[in-house]
């Protein structure tokens, strides 16, 4: 009887302890982070888009990742080494489990890489090196054997999330998109589309405990509404503070901003493929029907470049919160070329070039841009159109939501458009924008640039492992592609993140907000 009473008391005590713990968790105020939009999917190999990846990065780990300073560090890999030019070996951390209890090991890493590369809906195919074989040496040793040398293989893998093989191979795709399981700092709880995503801390995360035990992501598309939510205390962190709202946050005693130069460049791309205006894809609907496509002439593209006063745009439209760019990748990237220069502002030369190209009176063309993707995106496009009007061009700004804009330019329906690029990888940047669309190449070449000499040079650069020869090849390719003025880099954005005073944090150059980086204010 005494033993029974003791057991009963112990059980009751345990129940009270569990109840107390759960009540404490429930009453603890969650960390609330607001983005401009919602995740497109929670399948870790689905959509390659910044907000989607940022949210997923709380649930999933990778073999390697970028730290807040843009340096590659270990994640689920303990170490890596090149055995030869085509064999990359990883030693994996031991004792790690996914949120459903499956073990992370070499088989799981192999499955994850193969799924990201071969799944038909994956938008991460190009970020997995073209492998000949992925070999499991033992439970915690994995070899990635590529078909040819891949000099940026490690950098590419920072975007590939690791998943539990049994769950992802046996669960319907529709459920995987809504019920993710990873090994990251937080576990999935709930997703109400276009409203919020709830996560709870993973007590067994391999990097240790996080300070905020509950995490809520909010979708608040309007910048002013996000700021109002921060100032009122409705949320604790907001992504992408618009420039006019910076002072509003700084004036409030309970909020502050953190600013850092971004890796993301904003640029203009031209259609240099179609010959005249008309229905897509054979012709260009953004030009008057039957009119010649002026952007096929390099003199016209140079005229546009000379007519854009980027310093004026940075000062007045971006209010100083941007940095003029001469190339797409930023100085954070290993392949950045410091000797690439912008064409100087010279409207007189622009008029001369237009006359030489056969357009002394100018021409009319549409100029597409998003109005909810980049900071001040529509305002920048309008300012550029105004500057181009001074050299006789009638540029019609077509600003649309990103959900409409990106499919449109992918259908080749814009003669001139403004878009952003946020990679720090030299090879994937060049292969994506300056190559013929074929396989994983040319996926962002929406103006259909093609140069057979550049194709051959990029084939060489893609497999050149010698640092000195690689450096020379990259310099030569960079010079050639920007000399074509097919792409006109404008500026690098500045990342401006708004914080509540209950949170201690800093903006990151990679545009990520990671709850595991943030601390509670003392």
């Amino acid at each position: 009887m005494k033993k029974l009473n003791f057991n009963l008391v112990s059980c009751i005590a345990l129940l009270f302890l569990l109840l107390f713990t759960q009540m404490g968790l429930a009453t603890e105020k969650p960390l609330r982070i607001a983005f401009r939009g919602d995740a497109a999917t929670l399948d870790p190999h689905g959509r390659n888009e910044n907000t989607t990846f940022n949210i997923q990065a709380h649930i999933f780990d990778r073999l390697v990742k970028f730290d807040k300073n843009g340096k590659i560090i270990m994640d689920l890999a303990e170490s890596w080494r090149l055995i030869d030019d085509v064999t990359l070996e990883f030693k994996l951390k031991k004792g790690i489990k996914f949120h459903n209890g499956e073990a992370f090991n070499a088989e799981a890493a192999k499955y994850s890489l193969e799924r990201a590369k071969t799944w038909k809906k994956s938008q991460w195919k190009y970020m997995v090196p073209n492998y000949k074989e992925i070999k499991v040496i033992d439970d915690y040793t994995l070899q990635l054997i590529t078909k040819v040398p891949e000099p940026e293989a490690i950098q590419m893998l920072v975007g590939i999330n690791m998943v539990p093989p049994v769950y992802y191979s046996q669960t319907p795709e529709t459920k995987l998109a809504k019920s993710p399981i990873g090994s990251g700092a937080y576990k999935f709880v709930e997703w109400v589309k276009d409203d919020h995503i709830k996560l709870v801390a993973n007590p067994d995360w391999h990097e240790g405990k996080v300070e905020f035990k509950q995490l809520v992501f909010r979708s608040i598309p309007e910048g002013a509404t996000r700021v109002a939510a921060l100032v009122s205390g409705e949320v604790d962190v907001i992504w992408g503070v618009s420039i006019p709202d910076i002072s509003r946050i700084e004036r409030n005693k309970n909020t502050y901003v953190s600013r850092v130069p971004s890796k993301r460049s904003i640029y203009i791309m031209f259609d240099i493929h179609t010959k005249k205006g008309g229905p897509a894809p054979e012709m260009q609907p953004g030009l008057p029907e039957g009119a010649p496509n002026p952007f096929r002439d390099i003199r016209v593209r140079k005229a546009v470049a000379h007519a854009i006063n980027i310093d004026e745009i940075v000062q007045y439209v971006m209010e100083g919160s941007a940095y003029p760019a001469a190339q797409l990748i930023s100085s954070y990237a290993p392949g950045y070329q410091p000797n690439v220069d912008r064409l100087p502002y010279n409207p007189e030369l622009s008029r001369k070039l237009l006359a030489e190209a056969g357009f002394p009176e100018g021409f009319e063309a549409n100029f597409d841009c998003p109005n909810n993707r980049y900071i001040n995106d529509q305002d920048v496009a309008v300012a550029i159109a105004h500057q181009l009007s001074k050299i006789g061009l009638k540029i019609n700004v077509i600003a649309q939501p990103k959900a409409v804009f990106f499919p449109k330019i992918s259908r080749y329906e814009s003669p001139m458009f403004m878009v952003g690029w946020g990679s720090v990888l030299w090879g994937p940047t060049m292969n994506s924008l300056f190559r013929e669309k074929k396989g994983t190449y040319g996926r962002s070449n929406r103006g259909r640039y093609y140069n057979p000499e550049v194709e051959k040079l990029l084939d060489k650069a893609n497999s050149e492992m010698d640092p000195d020869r690689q450096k020379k090849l990259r310099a030569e390719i960079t010079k050639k592609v920007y000399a074509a003025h097919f792409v006109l880099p404008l500026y690098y954005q500045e990342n401006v993140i708004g914080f509540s005073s209950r949170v201690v944090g800093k903006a990151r150059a990679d545009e990520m907000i990671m709850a595991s980086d943030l601390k509670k204010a003392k």
Side-chain angles (χ1 to χ4, degrees), residues 333-353:
Y336 176 79
Q337 302 294 320
N339 297 321
V340 177
D341 296 319
R342 294 181 53 82
L343 289 182
Y345 175 60
N346 189 338
E348 290 300 321
L349 180 54
S350 293
R351 296 185 188 95
K352 181 181 177 182
L353 288 166

Side-chain angles (χ1 to χ4, degrees), residues 48 64-66 70 72 124 126-129 150-160 263-264 327-336 421-434 443 458 462 470 474 478 482:
N48 182 357
V64 292
K65 63 182 179 180
F66 286 124
I72 290 182
W124 292 93
Y126 77 100
M127 291 297 284
V128 180
E150 296 265 10
E152 289 185 291
I154 284 293
Q155 290 92 332
M156 292 166 70
L157 292 174
V158 298
I160 308 303
K263 65 176 182 178
R264 184 171 300 279
Q327 56 193 294
L328 297 185
I329 60 172
S330 71
S331 57
Y332 296 109
Y336 176 79
W421 186 257
S423 176
V424 295
L425 303 180
W426 186 92
T429 296
M430 292 295 169
N431 287 315
S432 184
L433 281 100
F434 299 103
R443 66 187 184 89
L458 277 169
N462 288 343
Q470 184 189 92
R474 289 182 172 183
T478 300
Y482 289 112

